[in-house]
Amino acid sequence: MKAAKIKTLLETSELDQSYAVQGWVKTFRANRFIALNDGSSLKNLQCVVSFEQLEDTLLKRITTGAALHLEGTLVESQGEGQKVELQVEKIRVLGDSDPEKYPIQPKKHSLEFLREKAHLRIRTTTFAAVMRVRSALSFAVHKFFQQEGFYYVNTPIITGSDAEGAGEMFRVSTLDIKNPPLNEEGNPDYKKDFFGKETNLTVSGQLEAESYALGLGEVYTFGPTFRAENSNTTRHLAEFWMIEPEMAFYDLTDNMNLAEKFITYVLKEVLKDCAEDLEFLDERLAKEDQSKPQAERSPMRLIEKIKFVIENDFKRVSYTEAYEILRNSKPNKKKKFQFLINEWGVDLQSEHERYLVEKHFKCPVILFDYPANIKAFYMRRNEDEKTVRAMDILFPGIGEIVGGSQREERLEVLEKRIQEMNIDAEELWWYLDLRRFGSVPHSGFGLGFERLVQFTTGMNNIRDVIPFPRTPQNAAF
Ligand code: 4AD
Ligand code: MG
């Protein structure tokens, strides 16, 4: 008999029919009730075995973590807590599990402990819920852009350029690091390396996406990006996934409108598609909140927060306005900020972003027109010569979730900027070509996918929303 998914059995299957299911044992109570889960649903299927059916040897093999194939009849449940249950007629153990050694016991484990068991943590209710939401979100991302007429492009993972100019790249090389060939200056000779030049893992697909937007019109990437920044925070990964739409003929306002519409759409989709998982995560977060001091508790529950973002417009504020708000804010005057705001042009830290979003505006905020000298070389310069057409979207509990801009489409302005910032123009010859042949105003942004998953699931640490996190000093699994 072909096994059915537990989700199907719980939601739509007819009673008093025979079914097969397979999954992993969550718990086995009273030598009678197996709670089986196959990943298809938050809920387990209660499978009832009768004593007489079980030889002692088989009984011992039904333990938390073991994999089973069961056949039986689906009936209305006698007990409380579930509508249906499987009256088991046949049991096959597909994979034994040593109950003494299996790390995922039927009790609450800390997230830190589970991070060390990342290969098994997906068997917990919380991680399964988070990863189902993650999957639904990524599908919603594609659905949105496909419906809007965007083309999905795959930009290279190995590149020679540093799009963000922050120098935080992982080198890609096949040279023998103990004994590299040297050039005349005594440095490693990358001409002899695999690609005949220095290469690294990409920090962003934007530059290549720009090339494609200036031909296909509206495109998006959705792929892994890599940053060798030594940030040990709950918001940073060394390997993360980014969604980067890039659109010809869009100015900054069009760009902001798209970003807002996009985020609202994907959140609506998961509210619809992952209702059960989100309710569980909502409850989980509320419980966690209860154990915190009053001042640190969230003013809204998870689902409420998602709905709030869907229903309310994002507040659009220029850097200069935000600067004034921050400069005059209580924590700044009382020197509560770690980085005080006292000079126009300073970069905003996450404490400032969170103040704006969580304390001042109390809603998602789009900051735009940032000082040129704290932003990347490719952003379009404003008339004032001091600011660029940048925009960051800031979210409650997360801080920056999106970074984007209108791009500098004027060749001379871009060339000048590249020179001022001491960027290797040679590496960007093709990017400059885009400004030589049919250049048009265009814009785009990058959304950090894990930060979106964090917001949607309420998980506090970014390491808990990607299957196998890569962070400084950690690339296990
Ligand atoms: O602001 P960033 O650096 O922008 C870019 O890379 C642009 N090229 C995007 C574009 O315009 N096409 O990064 C974009 C987003 C951030 O807002 C943040 O959400 C996420 O990527 N991000 C990270 N997420 C996890 N770990 C990190 N280390 C991240 N760095 C950035
Ligand atoms: Mg940014």
Side-chain angles (χ1 to χ4, degrees):
M1 200 188 301
K2 192 179 173 313
K5 293 230 173 183
I6 286 177
K7 183 184 170 69
T8 319
L9 256 63
L10 291 174
E11 288 173 3
T12 52
S13 292
E14 279 176 47
L15 294 183
D16 305 317
Q17 303 276 328
S18 294
Y19 293 98
V21 287
Q22 41 203 17
W24 295 268
V25 177
K26 278 257 163 123
T27 56
F28 184 36
R29 278 190 299 119
N31 284 349
R32 199 168 151 71
F33 302 104
I34 303 169
L36 198 75
N37 196 285
D38 65 357
S40 65
S41 161
L42 183 89
K43 291 207 188 88
N44 305 319
L45 178 68
Q46 167 145 298
C47 307
V48 188
V49 291
S50 66
F51 243 129
E52 307 80 66
Q53 271 177 313
L54 291 175
E55 293 168 31
D56 238 23
T57 44
L58 186 57
L59 188 73
K60 286 210 187 79
R61 294 174 69 194
I62 305 176
T63 63
T64 297
L68 305 181
H69 175 104
L70 303 175
E71 290 179 25
T73 310
L74 193 70
V75 298
E76 199 178 313
S77 177
Q78 319 289 304
E80 300 231 322
Q82 62 275 320
K83 278 200 238 131
V84 297
E85 61 192 24
L86 194 76
Q87 289 287 351
V88 178
E89 284 137 25
K90 259 194 221 159
I91 301 180
R92 197 148 47 98
V93 178
L94 299 174
D96 289 287
S97 173
D98 182 343
E100 303 290 308
K101 294 193 180 135
Y102 184 58
I104 314 294
Q105 293 298 322
K107 61 164 197 181
K108 195 171 156 50
H109 292 291
S110 76
L111 295 171
E112 290 76 14
F113 169 83
L114 291 172
R115 247 169 254 151
E116 285 166 13
K117 311 279 182 248
H119 59 309
L120 291 169
R121 66 179 180 174
I122 193 60
R123 307 248 192 112
T124 66
T125 313
T126 299
F127 280 93
V130 168
M131 294 307 161
R132 279 190 296 265
V133 172
R134 182 182 168 111
S135 167
L137 274 171
S138 65
F139 185 58
V141 166
H142 285 293
K143 235 163 94 182
F144 174 79
F145 286 116
Q146 296 291 326
Q147 280 172 17
E148 295 283 320
F150 283 57
Y151 298 102
Y152 177 41
V153 301
N154 301 113
T155 48
I157 308 268
I158 300 173
T159 82
S161 63
D162 176 6
E164 294 309 300
E168 293 164 334
M169 297 169 304
F170 290 101
R171 185 186 302 289
V172 174
S173 172
T174 54
L175 293 183
D176 176 1
I177 53 170
K178 281 202 203 117
N179 187 22
L182 301 177
N183 60 19
E184 280 162 12
E185 288 102 58
N187 296 321
D189 187 359
Y190 292 106
K191 289 209 179 74
K192 303 224 169 73
D193 205 345
F194 189 90
F195 295 106
K197 61 183 276 191
E198 280 190 72
T199 49
N200 49 270
L201 294 178
T202 188
V203 297
S204 157
Q206 177 196 322
L207 305 191
E208 291 87 354
E210 282 187 54
S211 140
Y212 264 57
L214 298 176
L216 285 178
E218 293 171 322
V219 301
Y220 70 105
T221 72
F222 186 176
T225 49
F226 308 86
R227 296 199 185 175
E229 53 186 329
N230 200 3
S231 306
N232 254 309
T233 78
T234 55
R235 309 276 175 268
H236 289 87
L237 291 166
E239 175 180 291
F240 65 98
W241 288 67
M242 199 175 2
I243 296 139
E244 295 184 275
E246 192 67 37
M247 300 75 64
F249 317 112
Y250 273 50
D251 67 12
L252 191 69
T253 307
D254 301 325
N255 201 23
M256 293 195 252
N257 292 346
L258 180 80
E260 198 170 332
K261 187 173 175 192
F262 163 56
I263 293 174
T264 307
Y265 175 87
V266 295
L267 291 179
K268 264 193 202 157
E269 285 292 296
V270 287
L271 269 191
K272 196 168 70 194
D273 294 345
C274 302
E276 198 173 59
D277 288 322
L278 289 175
E279 267 159 41
F280 169 80
L281 292 166
D282 180 279
E283 198 57 46
R284 180 193 164 275
L285 196 64
K287 267 192 218 135
E288 197 185 273
D289 234 28
Q290 285 294 307
S291 62
K292 286 186 189 161
Q294 192 75 34
E296 285 168 36
R297 288 188 196 162
S298 165
M300 279 187 221
R301 288 183 64 126
L302 179 66
I303 292 177
E304 209 181 340
K305 218 161 43 179
I306 298 173
K307 286 190 175 150
F308 182 85
V309 169
I310 293 173
E311 285 156 15
N312 290 279
D313 288 343
F314 299 3
K315 180 87 189 157
R316 301 184 187 190
V317 189
S318 73
Y319 169 91
T320 304
E321 287 171 77
Y323 165 75
E324 287 302 334
I325 292 168
L326 288 167
R327 196 168 60 90
N328 295 315
S329 70
K330 248 197 212 153
N332 199 52
K333 290 190 163 155
K334 293 195 165 164
K335 301 199 167 24
K336 287 272 158 60
F337 282 145
Q338 199 187 338
F339 296 89
L340 294 180
I341 299 284
N342 43 31
E343 201 184 341
W344 188 93
V346 291
D347 204 355
L348 302 185
Q349 305 296 325
S350 105
E351 57 179 342
H352 309 127
E353 296 174 342
R354 294 186 63 170
Y355 174 84
L356 290 170
V357 173
E358 289 158 31
K359 298 273 158 29
H360 190 83
F361 291 110
K362 296 191 166 70
C363 71
V365 173
I366 311 185
L367 287 188
F368 62 92
D369 284 353
Y370 279 77
N373 52 13
I374 57 169
K375 287 290 182 189
F377 74 95
Y378 50 71
M379 298 188 179
R380 193 180 200 279
R381 187 160 278 239
N382 279 312
E383 310 279 89
D384 66 11
E385 298 280 324
K386 283 188 344 207
T387 59
V388 286
R389 303 246 75 193
M391 64 120 175
D392 277 6
I393 303 185
L394 314 179
F395 256 44
I398 304 287
E400 180 189 335
I401 194 164
V402 162
S405 69
Q406 184 169 336
R407 317 308 188 189
E408 185 55 78
E409 84 285 12
R410 299 162 295 185
L411 180 63
E412 316 75 60
V413 185
L414 185 60
E415 277 177 331
K416 195 165 149 247
R417 189 78 193 130
I418 288 175
Q419 211 178 14
E420 278 169 9
M421 292 178 83
N422 279 322
I423 295 167
D424 183 4
E426 243 166 76
E427 191 58 57
L428 290 171
W429 65 272
W430 61 273
Y431 188 72
L432 291 165
D433 255 7
L434 302 174
R435 279 71 184 166
R436 290 192 180 100
F437 309 114
S439 188
V440 295
H442 62 288
S443 301
F445 62 85
L447 174 131
F449 186 56
E450 283 73 21
R451 293 195 186 171
L452 177 69
V453 182
Q454 265 191 290
F455 175 76
T456 316
T457 58
M459 298 303 279
N460 177 52
N461 196 314
I462 199 164
R463 292 167 190 164
D464 298 329
V465 299
I466 187 165
F468 300 101
R470 269 79 183 97
T471 51
Q473 297 299 311
N474 169 39
F477 308 100

